[in-house]
Amino acid sequence: MNHQFQDEERYLRAQKRVKEIKGFYRHLLWYVIVNVLIILGVVAAYGWDFSKIFTFNAYSTALFWGIGIAFHWIGVFGKSVGFSKKWEERKIKEFMDKDKF
């Protein structure tokens, strides 16, 4: 009976983790979509006048929202940005498993 409870608890933790990761990637997707539209809007409004399209106002949304994305990343994936030792070991095992005859 205790084993079944532990399995259910692990499942619920894993389900929560998947939702957190999906939430981050949705946030990132909307960040990209909205900022591409803003950049296209700025270019449409000012043409290719570099003095107007390369201003702080044109990219402030991307900058500040990007800071928010960075904090969301840390909240979901932790402080280890990049390729951790654990990631390397997982990838090595994955490639070794694929290389079996």
Side-chain angles (χ1 to χ4, degrees):
M1 189 70 164
N2 192 16
H3 180 66
Q4 185 179 9
F5 176 74
Q6 289 175 339
D7 286 345
E8 184 176 340
E9 198 173 279
R10 283 182 29 233
Y11 175 81
L12 292 174
R13 280 194 311 267
Q15 185 180 39
K16 181 182 178 205
R17 182 79 177 122
V18 167
K19 285 181 182 181
E20 290 172 349
I21 293 169
K22 279 175 57 177
F24 170 77
Y25 283 116
R26 280 192 192 114
H27 188 184
L28 184 62
L29 174 69
W30 281 110
Y31 171 81
V32 170
I33 290 170
V34 168
N35 284 293
V36 164
L37 290 174
I38 289 172
I39 291 167
L40 292 174
V42 168
V43 169
Y46 298 112
W48 288 101
D49 181 356
F50 291 106
S51 66
K52 297 205 178 181
I53 63 173
F54 289 112
T55 63
F56 179 75
N57 290 339
Y59 300 99
S60 60
T61 300
L63 173 68
F64 293 116
W65 194 353
I67 292 169
I69 289 277
F71 281 109
H72 195 170
W73 169 278
I74 291 169
V76 171
F77 296 105
K79 294 178 184 175
S80 64
V81 177
F83 304 109
S84 67
K85 190 69 173 165
K86 190 186 256 186
W87 176 87
E88 287 180 26
E89 291 170 4
R90 264 195 333 264
K91 284 310 220 184
I92 289 169
K93 183 179 179 340
E94 179 185 325
F95 288 128
M96 288 174 63
D97 289 345
K98 285 181 181 179
D99 198 32
K100 288 181 182 175
F101 295 127

